[in-house]
Amino acid sequence: MKTCGIVGGMGPEATALFYMKIVKQFVHTKGYPPILMYSVPEPFQIADCFLQRNEEGDLLEQLVIEGIKTIHNNVDFCVIPCNTAHIYINAIREVSKVPVFSIVEETCRHLKLHKIKKVGILATTASVDNQLYTKPLYENNITPILPMAFQQAIVSEIIYRLVKGEILAADKAALLTIIGSLKEMGAECVILACTDLPILLSQDDIDFPLLDTLDILAEVAKNAIMGEYTVGNTLSTA
């Protein structure tokens, strides 16, 4: 098996959930996979500024790159269970000695494979402002549908609370209302495009398709660990 490197901690519960999503896929195999994890020491103040107001992003980039440099000599590939950090995927890949798989690229690939044409997006304000999903979705002929401005502010506030470990029933209700609005605007499904959101919300909570980006990345990591990661028609054993 290949060794998987995880650079996480943004926030810690999302990273723990991601880790379990990977290892549970190996329950019926001969053993659990080799995984090396680095948890980014992200200050709460920086998380607040970046997630909600798209400020202080340079520090997050530096912290993730430091994480990659810490583990890349001892793994075969890396994954980052944080959508927002993928704003810096090009810079991250430039310094990494091993492949870094993108949660955004894999999600767009999944949507295209399943012929989704219109998709709602729940993400941080930083992700929305930097067109993290909107640009690649349009490039794949998929129409992104975003919450209204006041709804986006609510989403970012909820995500920040989740990063700090606050799980509130009122926040789940607010997200379900926003998803309803995205559905009314024509969304065929909604991407949980922040890896903290699955801590609060799952498919069991609503009778409308939700796409958990953690699930998609965990599947990619599992296949890469087994040396069976497929990109298009090309088989990669990286």
Side-chain angles (χ1 to χ4, degrees), residues 10 12 25 62 78 87-88 98 100-101 105 108 111-112 115 119 143 158 162 181 188 193 199 202 208:
M10 308 160 282
Q25 297 181 83
Q62 294 169 17
C78 286
I87 292 169
Y88 309 107
V98 297
V100 181
F101 300 138
E105 291 170 3
C108 290
L111 289 166
K112 192 171 183 179
K115 300 180 180 179
V119 61
T143 302
I158 291 171
L162 289 171
S181 296
E188 299 170 50
I199 298 170
S202 74
F208 182 72

Side-chain angles (χ1 to χ4, degrees), residues 1 15 27 45 60 70 129 133 136 156 196 198 210 213 219 235:
M1 288 192 287
T15 302
V27 169
Q45 182 178 357
L60 175 61
T70 300
D129 287 352
Y133 272 93
S156 274
D196 291 288
L210 298 181
T213 55
E219 178 71 14
L235 184 66

